[in-house]
Each structure stands twice: as C-alpha cells, then as structure tokens.
Amino acid sequence: MEEGLPVYGKEPYFDDPLMYQLYQQVEHTLGIRASTDALVQLRKHLNQIQTLVHPDQPITTPIQERYKHIFASSEALFDLAQLLTVNETYFFREQVHFSVLLRELLPRFSTLNRSLRICSAATSTGCEAYSIAMVFDYYNQCLGYKPLSWEIDAFDIDRQVIETARQGRYTANAFREDGTQWKFLLDRYVSAAGTEYTVDPRLKDHIHFYLHNIMEGLPIQGYDLIFFRNVFIYFSLESRIKVTNILANALLPDACLMVGISETASIEHPLLANCFKEDAFYFQKKTTEAGSSKGIKQAEPRTPRIIPKHPELSSRKKGLTIEPDRIAALIVDDTEARLTTEKTLAFLAAEQRHQDDGFAGMGNEFMTAIIALINQGDFLRADRLLTFIEQYDNSAYTNFLRGEYFYLKTLPLDAEYSYKVAIQQDKTFWPAFYRLSSLAAQGNPVRYVYKINQALESISQGKERGYEVFIGGFSPDYYQRALEKQRNKGLLNHSQPR
Ligand SMILES: C[S@@+](CC[C@H](N)C(=O)[O-])C[C@H]1O[C@@H](n2cnc3c(N)ncnc32)[C@H](O)[C@@H]1O
C-alpha cells in the first residue's frame, strides 16, 4: 500500500494475504481504511496478545478466525482503536459550523420550548463537544430570552481520547488559528496555568462522554443536532453509506447534521436536505417521510468540464511545456480546440514522436486535445493521446487528465486512483482535491453546481478565492501547510492531510 495520502476508491495492494485480511477486518468493524503503518502496528500488537491467549495456534490461521474474539469485543476494540485512528482536533475547528449554531440554530431551538439533545460523534479529545457547550452556555448567559435546556452526548472509539475529554485539560495544540474568531468564548471558558489549559468544569455537567463505535449504530435516537466531522475521510464508501443512514435516522425532523467541510459533498441521503448558511454547508432532516430511509441513492458521478489551472504549473515540467492559461485559452475556443486536436492526432499518426524538436513545445496542444476529446466523449482517441503523453510526462497535470478520462467514462474508482497520484505529484494540485472531494462524495448536485458556479465566477474575476470553493473551503495552501506541519513533527510519509 502506498504511503501518504488516503487511498481513495481502489483497495490497497498487500503482498501479504494476512495483512489484507486484517485491512478488511478493520474496515468491516471500525469503518476505517487503515494505513499500512497502522496495520503493521496493529498486527504486532495482536500477535503479542494472541501468543499469550493461544500460544499453539498456527501462524497461518486466517485473521478473521485468529483474532475473532478481539474484533467481536467492543472493549478490546476501544483499546486497539488508538493504533488505527487519527485524533486530530482542536477548539472551534471549522469555525463556520459554530456560526451556524449560534446565529441560525439556537434562535430556532429557542422556539421549541423543550430540552435539546446534541451529539458530538467521534469527538476525539472533546474539543468539539466543549466548543458546542461554550456556544450554548454563552447563548443562555448573554443572548437568549429564555435559557435553553441542553445535553450533549459525546463519544469516540478511542479509549485514550475519551479519557482526555473527561478531564478537560489541554495543551496549546488544542487552539489554532482556525478558531480565533471564537477567542472571546475561549477567554471566557478556558483558564490557563503554565502550559495547561482547563475547560470550565460547569460545562462538563451538560456533556456525557463515553466510548462507542459508530459502526454499531447510535445508542440514543432523537437528536436536534449531530456533529460528525472529519471522520468520513477515513472511512470506506460502504461504511460512509452505513453511517450516513445511522445519523440520518437518529435525527429528529428538522434537526441538523454537520460533517467536515471537505466531507459535505460526500453526503447524499433521501432524508437529508442541503442547507447553506453563514458560509457553511450542512444538512437538515426532512420532515416528510418521502423517499424514506431505504438507504443512500448512489448518484452517478457528475460530468462538468474542468480546465486544470495551477500557478506552479506555468513552467516546463519534465521537458514538456504545460501552461494552464494557454490551455484554457485554446479549449474555450471551439475552433481552436478542434484544430489543436487535429494537429496533435496528425502528429501522432506521423509518428514523429518526441525526437521531433517540436514535441517538447506541444504540451499545451496535447493537453488541450485530450481535454477536448474527453469532453466530447471520444475516449478512444483521448486514450491514445494520453497513453502517448504518459510515456514522457508523469506530472500532476497528466495524471489529473487520466483521472478525468476515467471520471467521464464513469469509472470512478480508477478516476480516484489517478487523482490521488496527481496529488502525490503535487500536494497543492487543487483540481484533483476538488474531484476527490466530490467523488468521495458520490456527488450531490445542489452543492456541486453551486460550487462550480462560484468557482467559475471567482476565477473569471481573477480572485484567489476560486481555489477555496473548489476544494470545499480549504485555502489554496491548505495542503501545503498540513504537509509542513507533518514535516515539522517528523511524520512525513506516514500521515495524511487533515
Ligand atoms: C480526526 S478526528 C475528528 C475529531 C472531531 N470530530 C473534529 O472534527 O475535530 C476523528 C475521530 O474519529 C474517531 N473514530 C474513528 N472511527 C470511529 C468509529 N468507528 N466510531 C467512533 N469514533 C471513531 C477517531 O478515534 C478520532 O478521534
């Protein structure tokens, strides 16, 4: 299995069949697509336990059989989870969701005249649950006409993080720039002593922290609001579908669901309507049973046109000229696009190949022709050009176009794989991230079209913001920064962007 970014779509390849069995077992039980590193750690750990419990069992016994008792036990899984999960979290992460809570939801909740039940699912160390609690308490103390009665259920599968959550004590790492707009609440509810930050213990009275595996459903139903953020990215498609059903069914009519910003496009459920307020996407449970919870409709991938454009690509890559602006200019003009396509196909037919002096300078023409052919659905000729180019150029741009080829051929798994390769070539190649989030996604037409329109508008106005809308709210340098952070921690090659 390749290191680095999560594997989208394609199952990873393992030389060792036992590792593959373990991967499947983890995916089935926890929903998570585990990294190789995590699996190696897990296997080591399981072997130690196993040697103690069944010292005579042959090493070749299938994993499902060998570790059956461990995977069947919730308690054992809570201990193992820390080897498999990414617990990254901080206060007021993805702060727009808290704006929605304060400005949209709490005023509406106050008209209900009843106690409210909130869930912070996969809460990690509890920063999310405490952030929600701060907003509620602040509303009650300072804004609301009549105080709201509220409770938060907050769970995670990892024993260690739940312990931290219960203690409510943190280091500076739990406070990031992303949440600075809420500093006034942090000042109000968090006290510092040396390097330790303690949450106001009064908030704990409203929060019930407990261990739980979301794959087993939700023990409590009837929520007014559920946060399930930044977990789907680690889940397989099957697990995402299963968990979306669980969440949708646990919401009261009109209640809301927040998922991570990069995950919003991955939700499509007959019981959930799209909402967009305060610059945030979220979901509201439909009041009618129309289209009831038979499961998520598997939407076909969308097929919008996209012209990859990236500032760092405006240079020669591996001897081939690739200038996104020039490609964009060629492709938007139908006549130019057609002539360019003919020219490149003629070039190929003449078998001039790369020895020809002109080839290195024809990168723009090749890319234009490939995009044009893909968009026309002429996959045969697009494939010929792509296969030719791939012999000489392995840049993010070429891999991205291979992804586009698969994508528009409705081969989403192959497409995801190529996009992932593009991202490994260039960690800030936003069109590939964009496609991945929408594919991961299985497509949600309303948000998708909205984002495309916004992106086109901002690009046409020459705004940097174009990048943000394409990759689901992340800033252009988001992945670069995530990478640097990992490099500083010495985790590079082993961790994933968060
Ligand atoms: C990246 S953290 C996200 C924390 C928080 N929701 C946020 O957005 O900041 C993902 C959390 O999901 C938890 N998790 C993963 N699989 C889970 C499962 N099957 N059931 C419950 N929690 C799970 C992990 O232990 C981890 O703490």
Side-chain angles (χ1 to χ4, degrees):
M1 181 173 161
E2 289 156 83
E3 297 295 351
L5 295 159
V7 177
Y8 290 89
K10 274 201 171 165
E11 290 221 325
Y13 173 76
F14 294 101
D15 290 328
D16 180 347
L18 286 182
M19 283 295 271
Y20 183 56
Q21 287 169 22
L22 194 54
Y23 171 84
Q24 285 182 312
Q25 185 69 54
V26 167
E27 198 277 306
H28 178 72
T29 325
L30 282 82
I32 298 169
R33 293 170 303 175
S35 70
T36 316
D37 282 355
L39 289 176
V40 169
Q41 292 292 328
L42 178 66
R43 193 167 167 191
K44 220 186 316 176
H45 184 78
L46 290 171
N47 279 340
Q48 279 166 1
I49 303 175
Q50 194 66 10
T51 317
L52 291 177
V53 185
H54 296 293
D56 303 327
Q57 195 173 49
I59 197 90
T60 49
T61 312
I63 294 276
Q64 287 88 338
E65 183 56 36
R66 230 165 146 222
Y67 304 128
K68 197 161 71 184
H69 58 290
I70 298 176
F71 282 98
S73 149
S74 303
E75 285 301 311
L77 279 181
F78 297 150
D79 290 326
L80 293 185
Q82 55 184 287
L83 299 172
L84 299 162
T85 54
V86 176
N87 304 121
E88 169 79 353
T89 190
Y90 49 89
F91 286 94
F92 294 102
R93 179 181 193 179
E94 299 183 340
Q95 54 186 347
V96 283
H97 292 150
F98 300 94
S99 300
V100 173
L101 176 61
L102 184 63
R103 302 204 178 98
E104 291 293 327
L105 303 186
L106 291 190
R108 177 149 68 77
F109 286 162
S110 68
T111 63
L112 296 177
N113 295 320
R114 60 169 173 78
S115 296
L116 299 156
R117 187 136 218 158
I118 318 300
C119 182
S120 169
T123 192
S124 186
T125 55
C127 297
E128 182 178 270
Y130 284 122
S131 302
I132 299 170
M134 288 177 204
V135 176
F136 265 93
D137 194 72
Y138 173 71
Y139 183 84
N140 272 357
Q141 305 290 330
C142 307
L143 302 176
Y145 293 114
K146 45 182 184 226
L148 297 168
S149 157
W150 54 279
E151 296 295 325
I152 301 175
D153 294 315
F155 68 84
D156 199 280
I157 197 172
D158 183 331
R159 197 184 288 285
Q160 262 189 356
V161 293
I162 283 297
E163 196 40 50
T164 306
R166 284 181 181 139
Q167 288 173 6
R169 289 203 297 272
Y170 298 92
T171 62
N173 191 38
F175 307 91
R176 312 276 176 87
E177 219 180 309
D178 179 28
T180 43
Q181 162 184 329
W182 299 90
K183 188 172 175 301
F184 71 103
L185 286 189
L186 293 170
D187 288 344
R188 196 180 169 103
Y189 294 104
V190 180
S191 52
T195 55
E196 191 171 272
Y197 299 82
T198 307
V199 175
D200 186 338
R202 285 181 306 118
L203 297 179
K204 286 187 199 167
D205 296 342
H206 294 268
I207 312 176
H208 171 220
F209 286 111
Y210 63 103
L211 278 162
H212 183 66
N213 177 4
I214 186 76
M215 297 295 280
E216 289 173 7
L218 283 180
I220 297 165
Q221 301 285 303
Y223 283 107
D224 294 287
L225 174 63
I226 299 179
F227 276 60
F228 187 72
R229 306 185 311 155
N230 303 300
V231 195
F232 276 130
I233 40 172
Y234 304 107
F235 274 26
S236 67
L237 178 60
E238 291 71 24
S239 310
R240 265 183 259 152
I241 290 170
K242 177 175 170 176
V243 171
T244 310
N245 268 328
I246 291 171
L247 299 172
N249 286 314
L251 289 168
L252 290 168
D254 285 335
C256 293
L257 168 68
M258 307 281 181
V259 300
I261 288 175
S262 65
E263 300 165 328
T264 48
S266 70
I267 306 295
E268 171 141 31
H269 193 284
L271 291 179
L272 298 175
N274 300 310
C275 296
F276 182 71
K277 295 261 169 63
E278 299 288 329
D279 264 350
F281 285 107
Y282 60 101
F283 302 90
Q284 188 166 13
K285 173 103 168 246
K286 293 175 186 170
T287 38
T288 66
E289 283 301 303
S292 112
S293 60
K294 290 201 178 87
I296 300 176
K297 196 172 107 246
Q298 301 271 343
E300 286 296 308
R302 313 257 80 76
T303 57
R305 291 178 181 214
I306 183 166
I307 302 160
K309 184 172 185 292
H310 189 286
E312 288 161 28
L313 280 174
S314 303
S315 60
R316 283 173 159 235
K317 283 236 166 188
K318 306 202 172 160
L320 202 64
T321 312
I322 301 175
E323 297 158 308
D325 284 337
R326 175 77 191 125
I327 297 170
L330 286 171
I331 197 80
V332 292
D333 183 327
D334 281 348
T335 313
E336 282 279 11
R338 191 172 45 77
L339 291 174
T340 308
T341 307
E342 282 168 15
K343 184 174 152 190
T344 49
L345 287 166
F347 178 88
L348 216 59
E351 296 208 330
Q352 286 164 283
R353 306 291 181 198
H354 69 300
Q355 290 92 336
D356 186 287
D357 280 349
F359 174 65
M362 281 184 71
N364 295 334
E365 279 83 356
F366 266 89
M367 298 305 173
T368 303
I370 292 165
I371 296 170
L373 289 169
I374 292 174
N375 282 330
Q376 286 159 23
D378 187 343
F379 296 112
L380 201 68
R381 291 198 294 174
D383 189 35
R384 278 186 59 206
L385 290 185
L386 262 170
T387 307
F388 173 69
I389 282 286
E390 280 162 352
Q391 295 174 69
Y392 308 110
D393 183 85
N394 186 34
S395 66
Y397 208 99
T398 301
N399 283 306
F400 177 78
L401 287 193
R402 178 53 83 181
E404 292 292 90
Y405 166 83
F406 286 130
Y407 184 74
L408 296 186
K409 253 188 118 179
T410 333
L411 294 169
L413 294 187
D414 296 296
E416 284 183 7
Y417 182 76
S418 298
Y419 294 140
K420 186 189 158 230
V421 175
I423 288 166
Q424 282 172 337
Q425 299 287 335
D426 179 345
K427 300 268 190 288
T428 60
F429 195 74
W430 61 269
F433 279 109
Y434 162 63
R435 279 292 204 222
L436 278 177
S437 38
S438 57
L439 256 182
Q442 294 293 294
N444 179 321
V446 176
R447 278 194 308 287
Y448 203 91
V449 169
Y450 172 85
K451 284 199 169 218
I452 290 197
N453 287 339
Q454 240 195 323
L456 290 177
E457 193 188 315
S458 53
I459 287 169
S460 69
Q461 291 169 5
K463 287 185 198 162
E464 272 284 274
R465 217 174 126 245
Y467 297 119
E468 285 179 38
V469 286
F470 264 100
I471 57 173
F474 292 125
S475 60
D477 62 342
Y478 175 85
Y479 292 97
Q480 198 58 49
R481 281 188 288 121
L483 203 70
E484 272 158 23
K485 216 182 275 174
Q486 289 162 9
R487 197 175 280 134
N488 293 339
K489 280 202 233 158
L491 293 173
L492 199 62
N493 296 331
H494 298 285
S495 42
Q496 308 171 343
R498 287 153 190 161

